[in-house]
């Protein structure tokens, strides 16, 4: 069955530390891959997306993600986290007329 | 700011009632998608409209229906409300023909509470 998994429900990092949020998917073909961020009471904002080509994708706010076909993963990274990065992060996959989101990872940033 | 607006921001209804949620897409965006986000979960795809025709649907019953208008506005209608329909409802617009290959621009959502 098609699915998107974000194994970490909640992650806490110190400001200035590096961050990696994990995402794994299970699809018959390589879908389109996205990372979104949602701040409290807000809609979703696209951080980055992967359709094809270079497997390392650069996004907004200093985020990047790497697509690894062999691992069916699309992990999100940031080298130095800022307090304003505290939010909920969603990995999403799209293929044909189906769009699925993971359950999300809540990021807390310690001062 | 994504240029996508939704109304109302909050709504309280009673089980069994009907509700209409509205979305105004970016001008020129021919595709609109609707999502349901229950508390503590990721969004779930309800359906997608392209040029006023439904062209994709998730695992939601027929009491969830939609309309898209030529002026880039759209509606989500839910009949016979159930308690489990309580959620944040998000709409997202994109410029092309959908199929989720494009960037979607999300509105801030409408929070629906069913009592």
């Amino acid at each position: 069955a098609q699915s998107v998994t974000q194994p970490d429900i909640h992650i806490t990092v110190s400001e200035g530390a590096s961050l990696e949020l994990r995402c794994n998917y299970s699809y018959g073909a390589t879908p389109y891959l996205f990372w979104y961020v949602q701040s409290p009471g807000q809609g979703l904002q696209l951080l980055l997306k992967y359709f094809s080509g270079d497997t390392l994708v650069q996004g907004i706010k200093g985020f990047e993600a790497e697509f690894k076909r062999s691992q069916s993963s699309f992990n999100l990274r940031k080298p130095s986290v800022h307090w304003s990065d505290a939010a909920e992060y969603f990995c999403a996959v799209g293929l044909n007329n189906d769009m699925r989101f993971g359950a999300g990872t809540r990021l807390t940033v310690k001062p | 700011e994504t240029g996508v607006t939704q109304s109302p921001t909050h709504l309280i209804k009673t089980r069994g009632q009907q509700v209409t949620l509205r979305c105004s897409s970016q001008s020129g965006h021919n595709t609109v998608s609707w999502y349901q986000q229950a508390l503590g979960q990721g969004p779930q795809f309800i359906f997608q409209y392209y040029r006023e025709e439904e062209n994709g649907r998730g695992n939601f019953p027929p009491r969830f229906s939609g309309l898209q208008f030529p002026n880039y506005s759209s509606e989500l209608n839910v009949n016979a409300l159930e308690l489990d329909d309580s959620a944040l409802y998000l709409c997202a617009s994109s410029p092309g023909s959908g199929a989720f290959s494009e960037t979607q621009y999300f509105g801030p959502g409408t929070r629906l509470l069913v009592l």
Side-chain angles (χ1 to χ4, degrees):
Chain A
Q2 299 165 339
S3 65
V4 184
T5 303
Q6 293 181 247
D8 305 305
I9 297 173
H10 184 204
I11 283 182
T12 299
V13 300
S14 297
E15 191 168 14
S18 63
L19 170 70
E20 182 169 27
L21 303 182
R22 296 182 291 165
C23 174
N24 294 94
Y25 64 90
S26 174
Y27 262 73
T30 300
Y32 303 115
L33 298 161
F34 308 86
W35 274 99
Y36 285 90
V37 61
Q38 185 177 38
S39 299
Q42 309 262 332
L44 278 73
Q45 181 182 22
L46 179 69
L47 289 174
L48 45 77
K49 60 187 178 185
Y50 174 79
F51 292 167
S52 64
D54 192 347
T55 57
L56 186 62
V57 181
Q58 301 298 318
I60 63 171
K61 303 185 179 186
F63 285 94
E64 67 178 26
E66 185 172 13
F67 167 61
K68 293 185 177 180
R69 185 188 305 274
S70 61
Q71 298 177 18
S72 296
S73 69
F74 189 56
N75 293 348
L76 182 71
R77 301 195 293 247
K78 187 169 185 178
S80 178
V81 170
H82 188 262
W83 64 266
S84 60
D85 293 324
E88 188 90 19
Y89 290 80
F90 293 96
C91 177
V93 299
L95 188 64
N96 299 324
N97 288 326
D98 185 33
M99 183 79 168
R100 300 196 183 209
F101 284 78
T105 297
R106 184 160 63 93
L107 174 65
T108 298
V109 181
K110 292 190 303 183
Chain B
E1 279 296 326
T2 63
V4 179
T5 60
Q6 292 186 242
S7 62
T9 56
H10 295 81
L11 200 53
I12 299 175
K13 289 287 189 179
T14 304
R15 190 172 52 183
Q17 286 187 312
Q18 178 266 343
V19 69
T20 297
L21 310 181
R22 293 179 174 83
C23 173
S24 180
S25 301
Q26 282 194 31
S27 180
H29 282 196
N30 296 311
T31 296
V32 64
S33 302
W34 285 90
Y35 297 85
Q36 179 195 67
Q37 186 178 15
L39 201 60
Q41 297 183 25
Q44 283 192 283
F45 172 59
I46 303 175
F47 46 58
Q48 182 180 81
Y49 278 76
Y50 171 64
R51 290 188 172 174
E52 303 162 52
E53 297 284 336
E54 184 179 301
N55 75 337
R57 190 177 184 94
N59 189 28
F60 280 80
R63 60 189 186 84
F64 286 79
S65 63
L67 286 171
Q68 185 186 25
F69 304 101
N71 65 352
Y72 305 110
S73 66
S74 59
E75 292 179 354
L76 164 65
N77 299 288
V78 187
N79 293 322
L81 283 167
E82 301 176 359
L83 298 180
D84 285 349
D85 295 334
S86 295
L88 179 69
Y89 288 85
L90 298 164
C91 76
S93 71
S94 55
S97 59
F100 301 115
S101 59
E102 303 171 315
T103 298
Q104 296 183 84
Y105 297 85
F106 281 81
T110 292
R111 187 162 297 282
L112 173 65
L113 178 61
V114 182
L115 301 176

